[in-house]
């Protein structure tokens, strides 16, 4: 009976992303790679732990252990979850020979890929904005533009990754980019540094970023991890660009729920009461007189407002 590979698991190809290699199978979490041979490779009753590996995983950067499950089944288990963005090839070792002298004449190669790294905005923390608003400030409330988060001067931007990254590598790869057309505004964007007293050498799925300076008021920007970035020595290069949307301080505005009135009447918001309470975000001291604060606010009819 010739020596061949009969089964390699995990099995059928399924893609994590369109950029994965064709016919590539997926690995995630702590999936084990198992290879089944057509005949016994090691002798029954032998020292299975001392037997050499029957197949190789290339590139061999992922820490793990190889073992024989039976005399004809070999298995590789990663020590931790599979690192993201890897493209792997699994194949029997060259010249694999059974205990009774049968050598494998043809090699079967199987391609695998691991899930892409993901990045999202976990929070924007600002001690100054929180203290000035008695703790009710939130970066996503009344944004400059929908989907953007306000970043006051001195704020900390917390990014969450789907796998624990090397903070120093991740910070070096990040870019703060303007989404404005004006090149002059893009040139004014601040540099980045590690914040929250985070240890730059300790793997972490959360990265705390501080801006050296502040975003110009009302500017739209994005924090970008470019495609091709490697944010840990065990990870592959990111397959696509990852980004989160940020803005400078939101300019003063009345926080109406509809700044643009929809054409269809059933989508329009209609006030149902003659007296409404309108909460305004402001920087006035608590000791300031409410009447003085409202003296400059007038309705369209010229009457005073409070």
């Amino acid at each position: 009976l010739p020596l061949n590979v009969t089964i390699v698991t995990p099995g059928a190809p399924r893609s994590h992303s369109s950029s994965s290699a064709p016919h590539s199978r997926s690995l995630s979490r702590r999936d084990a790679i198992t290879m089944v041979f057509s005949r016994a490779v090691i002798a029954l009753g032998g020292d299975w732990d001392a037997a050499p590996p029957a197949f190789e995983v290339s590139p061999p950067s992922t820490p793990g252990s190889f073992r024989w499950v039976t005399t004809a089944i070999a298995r590789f288990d990663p020590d931790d979850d599979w690192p993201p963005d890897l493209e792997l090839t699994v194949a029997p070792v060259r010249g694999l020979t059974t205990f009774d002298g049968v050598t494998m004449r043809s090699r079967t190669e199987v391609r695998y890929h691991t899930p892409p790294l993901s990045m999202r905005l976990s929070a924007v923390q600002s001690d100054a904005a929180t203290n000035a608003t008695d703790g009710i400030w939130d970066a996503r409330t009344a944004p400059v533009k929908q989907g953007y988060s306000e970043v006051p001067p001195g704020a900390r931007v917390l990014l969450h990754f789907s796998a624990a990254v090397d903070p120093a590598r991740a910070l070096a790869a990040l870019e703060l980019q303007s989404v404005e057309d004006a090149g002059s505004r893009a040139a004014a964007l601040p540099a980045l540094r590690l914040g929250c007293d985070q240890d730059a050498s300790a793997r972490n799925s959360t990265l705390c970023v501080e801006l050296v300076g502040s975003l110009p008021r009302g500017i739209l920007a994005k924090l970008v991890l470019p495609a091709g970035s490697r944010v840990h020595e065990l990870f592959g290069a990111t397959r696509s660009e990852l980004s989160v949307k940020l803005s400078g301080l939101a300019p003063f505005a009345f926080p109406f729920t509809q700044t643009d009135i929809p054409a269809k009447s059933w989508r329009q918001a209609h006030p149902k009461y003659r007296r409404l309470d309108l909460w305004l975000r402001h920087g006035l001291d608590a000791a300031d007189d409410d009447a003085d604060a409202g003296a400059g606010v007038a309705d369209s009819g010229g009457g005073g407002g409070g």
Side-chain angles (χ1 to χ4, degrees), residues 44-147:
L44 184 63
D47 186 353
W48 291 6
D49 293 334
F55 62 87
E56 53 193 9
V57 180
S58 181
S61 57
T62 303
S65 58
F66 173 89
R67 65 187 177 94
W68 286 94
V69 180
T70 71
T71 58
I73 301 176
R75 170 173 168 150
F76 176 83
D77 291 88
D79 290 343
D80 205 340
D81 289 352
W82 283 100
D85 292 306
L86 292 181
E87 300 288 345
L88 303 168
T89 300
V90 175
V93 296
R94 295 186 183 277
L96 180 64
T97 302
T98 65
F99 72 97
D100 53 355
V102 178
T103 300
M104 178 173 287
R105 300 192 178 279
S106 62
R107 297 176 80 228
T108 300
E109 291 190 350
V110 178
R111 292 183 177 183
Y112 284 99
H113 63 273
T114 59
L117 183 71
S118 65
M119 180 184 77
R120 63 176 174 84
L121 180 65
S122 177
V124 178
Q125 299 176 344
S126 171
D127 295 337
T130 299
N131 293 334
T133 59
D134 291 332
I136 65 172
W137 173 83
D138 183 88
R140 295 181 174 91
T141 300
V144 175
K145 187 176 181 180
Q146 193 64 36

Side-chain angles (χ1 to χ4, degrees), residues 159-175:
L159 302 174
H160 179 77
F161 295 87
S162 56
V165 302
D166 179 332
R169 283 177 178 249
L171 182 68
L174 284 171
E175 299 176 2

Side-chain angles (χ1 to χ4, degrees), residues 228-251:
S229 300
R230 296 194 63 172
V231 292
H232 192 278
E233 62 181 357
L234 298 180
F235 294 7
T238 52
R239 298 182 187 125
S240 58
E241 177 183 290
L242 308 175
S243 66
V244 297
K245 297 177 179 179
L246 307 174
S247 79
L249 283 173

